[in-house]
Every structure is written in structure tokens, then in C-alpha cells.
Amino acid sequence: MNLGAHNKNERHLTEKLSTSGFRFTPQRQSVYDVIMHKRDHPTAEEVFIRAKKQMPEISHATVYNCLDALVKSGLIRQVQLERGATRFCPNMEEHCHYHCGACGKVFDMALPKNFTDMPQPKGFKADHYDIAVHGLCADCAGKRKN
Amino acid sequence: MNLGAHNKNERHLTEKLSTSGFRFTPQRQSVYDVIMHKRDHPTAEEVFIRAKKQMPEISHATVYNCLDALVKSGLIRQVQLERGATRFCPNMEEHCHYHCGACGKVFDMALPKNFTDMPQPKGFKADHYDIAVHGLCADCAGKRKN
DNA sequence: GTGCCTCTTTAGAACTATTCTAAATCTTGA
DNA sequence: TCAAGATTTAGAATAGTTCTAAAGAGGCAC
Ligand SMILES: [Mn+2]
Ligand SMILES: [Mn+2]
Ligand SMILES: [Zn+2]
Ligand SMILES: [Zn+2]
């Protein structure tokens, strides 16, 4: 394991948290780590399960609080792809989500430049974009045909 | 009130329902009507409240069932803009949603042609796009500054 | 270092949105 | 006319999230 990279991540976490008025805590570190480690799109419940492995005493409410702090600090993104549990995304680049309705998998795809230049309601002050494509992933599309 | 238009809507409803394997029912009509009438983005609960005015005996579960049937028949769209209740949209044109995080208002904007030509994961079979822009509407952006 | 204020965590209760269940009712079509 | 299946209903159950109150920890003034 690369200790340099580890320290760099921790500095980044501490900085981003504190500029948003949050303190560094081991729980926030832990939640951040599990999301950054397996770069998928887990629900709060999945984050809770993973975080418990490193920190068995962590509570449900804390996971929600930490996720909220991380989102507000611009360290992770919140995505609402469908009815039900919110998911969290470690990728802070501009990207869109391809969501397979059969297996639930989520794929990140970078967006073309100027993609978000679109007509706006007069005076609207845009903060962020959520672009999702729903359908079937290659595997599931194959299975359906047979 | 224009009876011609009313009958046309009802024919459209019946046709779309039946091609998806659903029957026409007064409850489905009622739910469809309240969504088409005030062309906003209500939650299931709001639809329930409005539908009760015309049909006081309608139940909660039926509103959910009807909304589901209408979505599956391609008569309305389901949109998940944030954590919490799902909203429903009467506009079946390709459009995106501008969502004000302060007052909750939702604005439809038509999408430019070819907007949805974007890089795809290999083999992905896209069904539909959900494009949302989160921020502040003109009114709320004004209030914040003052 | 001590005290004080605020932030954070915790367990569990509460709440909100949605789905499920089982019985009654309605529709369709043999 | 009757059986089979679809639909509606009230209320129970479930899932996901937020709230609450008490305990713990960190930072700062003195
Ligand atoms: Mn992502
Ligand atoms: Mn809309
Ligand atoms: Zn799939
Ligand atoms: Zn607003």
C-alpha cells in the first residue's frame, strides 16, 4: 500500500471538510475510504455494511451524517437513479450515469465538452447537473434476446 | 368546457392503457385527469389529494397502482429529482427538468435536437433519459442576494 | 490545565413513502 | 350465467431516512 497516496487523500479530506465548516473525524475518514476504495455507487446501507468492517461500532445515523458532510464538502456526489435508496458516487468529474434496470449496475461515462450548454429558464442559477440514461447493460440486453 | 377534447383524451387514455394490457377504469381516468389538468410535477400524495376531490372514495394504494399503470402505458413520466417522494410529469416530449432547491419548483425545458447523442458503454441499450439541473429559480436566486 | 461551548456520535424512536395482503367488487368472455 | 382474472380497498408491513436526547470529544479562553 502506498502511504504517500494515503496521506494525500487524508489531507484532501481534511481540507475539503474544514473549508465547509466540518471537522475531521475517524468516522468520516472511514466512510470516505469505503466509497473511494471500491469505486461503485453504493447506497447508505451498503456504505454502512462496508464501514462496519473497519469500524464495528459505527452507527447507522453516523453513516448518514458522514455522507451528508462529504456531499456538502464536494468530496462525493449523491445520485437518485430511481425510487428507493439514494446512491453515492466517488467520481467528481462531470459524467453521466448509465443505469441497467435489470441488474441495477451503474456505469459512469464522461460527458462531451459543452454538453451542459442547454436552454435555461430565465434567471435560473444552475448548480449541478444530473444526467441519467436508463436501459439495459450489454449483459442483460443479451440475456433478454435469448 | 370542450367536450370534443375531453373525448379525445379519454380515447387516448383507453388506447394507451389497452395496448399495455391494462383496462380503462374510472380511477385511472381520474388520476390521469388531475395530472393533465394542472400541468406540474406532483407527488403521489398530491395526486391522491387532488383525485379525492372528484372521487372521495379513491384509496392510496389505487393512486399508486394507477400511476404505475399510466407510467407503463407511456401516458405520464416518473421523475426522481431528489431524495424523497417520486414526482410525476404530464409532458411526454423530450425535455429536461430545472429544479429549484429552495422553493421546490420544477421547470420543463425542451431539449435541443441530438442532445442525447452521447458516448455509451459498449452494448448498452438505452430506453430513456433523465436530465435534471439543480439550482435556484429566478425568484429564489433574487431573494438570496438581498 | 480547567471550564465551557460546540460539534459529533450513538441507539433507538419516529416518520415518510411505498408496497403488500386479503377480501370485496367488477369485467370479460366462454 | 358463470368462472377466471383484473382491479380496488383499508389497513398492515416494510424500507429508507431523519429526529431525539444523552454521552463523548475537540478547541479555545483563561
Ligand atoms: Mn458516478
Ligand atoms: Mn416535466
Ligand atoms: Zn444489467
Ligand atoms: Zn425557487
Side-chain angles (χ1 to χ4, degrees):
Chain A
M1 202 249 229
N2 183 335
L3 192 62
H6 179 270
N7 284 338
K8 193 181 157 225
N9 271 348
E10 186 168 325
R11 262 204 319 280
H12 184 228
L13 173 62
T14 309
E15 263 169 39
K16 286 287 211 167
L17 281 172
S18 80
T19 48
S20 301
F22 295 107
R23 292 185 188 155
F24 170 92
T25 69
Q27 288 84 350
R28 285 172 182 162
Q29 166 96 269
S30 195
V31 165
Y32 186 57
D33 285 352
V34 301
I35 291 181
M36 285 301 150
H37 179 246
K38 189 175 173 190
R39 301 182 62 81
D40 56 352
H41 296 81
T43 63
E45 183 62 27
E46 286 161 351
V47 171
F48 177 59
I49 292 166
R50 294 182 204 169
K52 260 178 115 80
K53 289 186 185 148
Q54 307 173 218
M55 188 178 265
E57 70 287 0
I58 198 170
S59 81
H60 226 150
T62 298
V63 170
Y64 278 97
N65 290 342
C66 291
L67 288 169
D68 204 52
L70 294 174
V71 169
K72 287 191 176 129
S73 305
L75 287 155
I76 61 173
R77 304 172 48 153
Q78 204 173 37
V79 279
Q80 195 69 53
L81 290 170
E82 51 183 345
R83 202 174 267 188
T86 301
R87 291 156 174 266
F88 296 87
C89 165
N91 180 357
M92 295 304 292
E93 306 287 305
E94 279 240 39
H95 68 284
C96 72
H97 290 117
Y98 280 80
H99 174 236
C100 176
C103 68
K105 279 208 196 81
V106 178
F107 305 85
D108 283 4
M109 288 295 276
L111 286 175
K113 303 257 169 291
N114 307 322
F115 189 80
T116 52
D117 294 350
M118 47 177 128
Q120 281 203 327
K122 205 169 155 52
F124 195 95
K125 186 149 181 334
D127 177 64
H128 67 279
Y129 297 79
D130 271 341
I131 299 174
V133 185
H134 302 267
L136 295 176
C137 74
D139 287 357
C140 293
K143 276 172 205 151
R144 289 282 158 109
K145 247 180 265 163
N146 307 342
Chain B
M1 203 251 230
N2 183 336
L3 190 63
H6 178 270
N7 284 338
K8 191 180 157 227
N9 270 349
E10 188 169 323
R11 261 205 320 281
H12 183 226
L13 174 63
T14 308
E15 262 168 40
K16 287 286 212 168
L17 282 172
S18 80
T19 49
S20 300
F22 295 107
R23 292 183 187 158
F24 170 93
T25 70
Q27 288 85 351
R28 284 171 182 163
Q29 166 95 271
S30 194
V31 165
Y32 187 57
D33 286 353
V34 302
I35 291 181
M36 284 302 149
H37 179 247
K38 188 176 176 191
R39 300 182 62 81
D40 57 350
H41 295 81
T43 62
E45 183 62 26
E46 286 161 351
V47 172
F48 176 60
I49 291 166
R50 294 183 204 169
K52 261 179 114 81
K53 288 186 185 147
Q54 308 174 217
M55 188 178 266
E57 67 286 357
I58 198 170
S59 81
H60 227 147
T62 297
V63 170
Y64 278 96
N65 289 342
C66 292
L67 289 169
D68 204 52
L70 294 174
V71 169
K72 286 189 176 133
S73 305
L75 287 155
I76 62 174
R77 303 172 47 154
Q78 203 172 39
V79 278
Q80 194 69 54
L81 291 170
E82 50 183 345
R83 201 175 266 189
T86 301
R87 291 155 174 269
F88 296 88
C89 165
N91 180 356
M92 296 303 293
E93 305 288 305
E94 278 240 39
H95 67 283
C96 72
H97 290 116
Y98 280 79
H99 174 237
C100 176
C103 68
K105 280 208 197 79
V106 178
F107 306 85
D108 282 4
M109 289 295 276
L111 286 176
K113 303 254 170 296
N114 307 322
F115 189 81
T116 50
D117 294 349
M118 47 177 128
Q120 281 201 328
K122 204 168 158 52
F124 195 93
K125 185 147 184 337
D127 177 64
H128 68 280
Y129 297 79
D130 271 340
I131 299 175
V133 185
H134 302 268
L136 295 174
C137 74
D139 287 359
C140 293
K143 275 172 204 150
R144 288 283 158 108
K145 246 181 265 163
N146 304 341

